[in-house]
Amino acid sequence: KAGVTQTPRYLIKTRGQQVTLSCSPISGHRSVSWYQQTPGQGLQFLFEYFSETQRNKGNFPGRFSGRQFSNSRSEMNVSTLELGDSALYLCASSLGFRSYEQYFGPGTRLTVT
Amino acid sequence: SQKIEQNSEALNIQEGKTATLTCNYTNYSPAYLQWYRQDPGRGPVFLLLIRENEKEKRKERLKVTFDTTLKQSLFHITASQPADSATYLCALVRDTDKLIFGTGTRLQVFP
């Protein structure tokens, strides 16, 4: 079974721009969560989607948004990028809601200059 | 505020020994706790999940304990190998809540 895939793997953007990251979960997994990982803050939860609905949200500003499609694929968007948004963005899928075993993708490395 | 603490310093041990990693938490009553392994430049990989009513869980060379009185989980790797070198993350969750990760402990196993 194919694992979680994320595209693109690397991205360089300029301050003020916006970015969209994509995640395809493991086949049959209906829950997708997004995390931001930085050396200083570690892994921080952004949001979780299940059946196209956001079920949980972390403490991030409204510039961070996401959505899930009917095939469980998910996208996250960051608008008005700031230097501090430079991070590894990880997507994880699980069978259902409530954050059981999470299967992570390789991540998208975003650099904001 | 809720806090999860893992040893920020790297743990260096000799091959064949048992590695023990600690995860302490405060102001939190997790329903269950998970351990993940993360290699540089890659996403975390799920290893073990233990529920609040379980004291211990094993999987091959891995053992996790969960003490809700001490608010602590211990993660053991027996007969450690250089291939076990990685960062290990603990994560806590209550039902319907988000997963909260510790900052991880880097384990280095040398021959």
Side-chain angles (χ1 to χ4, degrees), chain A residues 42-58:
Chain A
L43 249 174
Q44 291 190 288
F45 173 81
L46 280 157
F47 25 67
E48 177 179 13
Y49 287 87
F50 178 76
S51 292
E52 301 178 66
T53 302
Q54 187 180 93
R55 300 295 178 130
N56 239 324
K57 191 177 188 308

Side-chain angles (χ1 to χ4, degrees), chain A residues 6 8-10 88-91 105-109, chain B residues 42-43:
Chain A
Q6 291 186 245
R9 291 293 313 278
Y10 302 92
L88 181 66
Y89 289 88
L90 291 158
C91 162
T108 294
R109 171 73 63 185
Chain B
R42 310 186 79 156

Side-chain angles (χ1 to χ4, degrees), chain B:
Chain B
S1 64
Q2 298 158 353
K3 200 173 176 182
I4 303 172
E5 289 182 342
Q6 293 186 256
N7 256 358
S8 56
E9 292 180 13
L11 177 64
N12 297 308
I13 65 165
Q14 191 172 23
E15 183 177 9
K17 302 289 187 185
T18 296
T20 299
L21 285 69
T22 305
C23 176
N24 294 300
Y25 58 93
T26 57
N27 298 330
Y28 206 55
S29 297
Y32 54 92
L33 183 150
Q34 303 178 10
W35 283 89
Y36 290 80
R37 168 188 172 137
Q38 187 172 25
D39 292 285
R42 310 186 79 156
V45 173
F46 172 80
L47 295 175
L48 281 167
L49 178 153
I50 185 166
R51 300 178 194 280
E52 61 181 338
N53 60 351
E54 296 176 314
K55 296 285 188 199
E56 181 180 299
K57 204 128 186 213
R58 292 174 186 260
K59 180 183 176 183
E60 297 171 355
R61 296 185 295 112
L62 309 180
K63 184 178 88 171
V64 171
T65 62
F66 193 8
D67 189 324
T68 54
T69 302
L70 290 179
K71 295 186 182 295
Q72 180 182 79
S73 174
L74 297 179
F75 177 78
H76 306 272
I77 305 175
T78 57
S80 57
Q81 306 164 0
D84 295 326
S85 299
T87 295
Y88 291 86
L89 303 160
C90 73
L92 309 182
V93 64
R94 287 169 60 87
D95 286 345
T96 76
D97 276 357
K98 53 188 178 284
L99 206 58
I100 298 178
F101 281 85
T103 50
T105 298
R106 192 163 60 87
L107 172 67
Q108 184 71 39
V109 181
F110 55 91

